[in-house]
Amino acid sequence: MLLHDRLHAKYFRSESEVLLGSANLTGAALGWSAPRNLELLIPSPLGVVTKLEDQLRSESIRATATLAHELREIANQLPIRATVAPPDELHSPPAVQRPWLPSFRHPADLWLAYRGEQETLSLPGRSAAAQDLAWLELPGGFDEPAFKRVVAGRLMQHPFLTELDDFLVSSQRFGAVRDFLAARFELDREEADLAWQTLMRWLLEFLPARYTVTTARWSEVIQRRPSREERV
């Protein structure tokens, strides 16, 4: 089973046919209970949606019991009522295209940008924070602890992070992870250096219990801690 965090339309596929639309697999949608819903689906030849399937697979992550547990814990800690509303400009459509990697170098200050306190950041920092917040598409009104938990949840659902987690089952030096990013995102060495420095800061800021970082022979070494499933 795969998870895609932004797919809302319904997609039903057999070996030869596809149905696209808004219909859910519920009793009301299927007409098995009253009141019945009015649902919409249109048929499509399988060949027409091949690119869509390829995109969905590339942007999806594996559904695991560990991920379900971690996201449920995050959801259970969120406040029922929001207290602080972010500025309207944070609700604009994302200005960045996938695949996304964080560009704001100081993730501890991302909360300030979310609150609308951009004047405390440098001009390049404001632009980078705005791009990252646009991609994250966070609901408004979280306090700081809830904000950090929601960002952590969004990061855990990023397709690349699942690839990185598999890579970090064994400890890896900075250069090895840099090269891993370079190959995955087609970056040169300098771009990959910056990308990994930034991403590592985000992981340690928002998912501090998930990774360990040590220094050996002047190189940072990072490893993912075993998941609940792996410890069993």
Side-chain angles (χ1 to χ4, degrees):
M1 181 178 292
L2 300 177
L3 303 176
H4 192 292
D5 65 338
R6 294 168 191 256
L7 178 65
H8 180 68
K10 309 309 182 292
Y11 182 87
F12 300 93
R13 179 192 189 281
S14 70
E15 293 181 354
S16 60
E17 191 177 22
V18 170
L19 296 175
L20 302 170
S22 64
N24 295 298
L25 283 179
T26 63
L30 295 170
W32 296 347
S33 62
R36 298 177 179 180
N37 289 345
L38 178 62
E39 304 280 3
L40 299 177
L41 288 172
I42 61 171
S44 172
L46 184 58
V48 174
V49 292
T50 301
K51 289 185 178 180
L52 172 61
E53 287 197 349
D54 291 341
Q55 180 179 353
L56 291 176
R57 290 192 188 97
S58 70
E59 296 177 353
S60 298
I61 60 174
R62 296 188 305 274
T64 65
T66 294
L67 180 62
H69 172 78
E70 292 176 342
L71 294 180
R72 189 178 298 114
E73 284 195 336
I74 290 172
N76 289 339
Q77 296 176 52
L78 296 179
I80 296 177
R81 307 187 77 178
T83 56
V84 180
D88 292 338
E89 58 266 23
L90 295 187
H91 295 291
S92 58
V96 291
Q97 299 295 320
R98 293 188 176 190
W100 169 84
L101 284 175
S103 57
F104 185 49
R105 298 269 294 164
H106 305 285
D109 293 334
L110 190 65
W111 160 248
L112 299 177
Y114 174 80
R115 281 179 55 91
E117 300 177 14
Q118 290 91 339
E119 68 279 356
T120 62
L121 308 176
S122 66
L123 288 177
R126 294 178 198 177
S127 175
Q131 284 191 5
D132 291 336
L133 288 171
W135 187 89
L136 290 167
E137 289 187 316
L138 305 179
F142 291 127
D143 61 16
E144 187 172 9
F147 168 79
K148 289 184 175 182
R149 287 191 286 268
V150 174
V151 173
R154 293 288 286 118
L155 288 174
M156 286 194 300
Q157 295 176 75
H158 192 298
F160 173 68
L161 195 59
T162 62
E163 298 178 35
L164 182 63
D165 274 359
D166 290 341
F167 186 61
L168 295 179
V169 168
S170 57
S171 60
Q172 301 291 341
R173 290 184 176 274
F174 182 95
V177 186
R178 176 200 61 217
D179 295 343
F180 184 74
L181 261 72
R184 176 64 173 77
F185 292 96
E186 299 182 353
L187 305 174
D188 62 32
R189 183 186 176 95
E190 184 177 350
E191 291 171 332
D193 265 333
L194 184 61
W196 175 225
Q197 288 171 4
T198 303
L199 178 58
M200 183 166 59
R201 291 179 182 183
W202 277 61
L203 297 181
L204 297 178
E205 175 67 25
F206 297 111
L207 295 165
R210 194 180 181 92
Y211 303 95
T212 60
V213 175
T214 57
T215 301
R217 296 183 180 178
W218 303 283
S219 176
E220 292 167 312
V221 178
I222 186 168
Q223 183 173 12
R224 175 178 61 82
R225 291 187 174 94
S227 66
R228 294 172 66 248
E229 294 169 321
E230 292 166 336
R231 292 195 297 267
V232 173

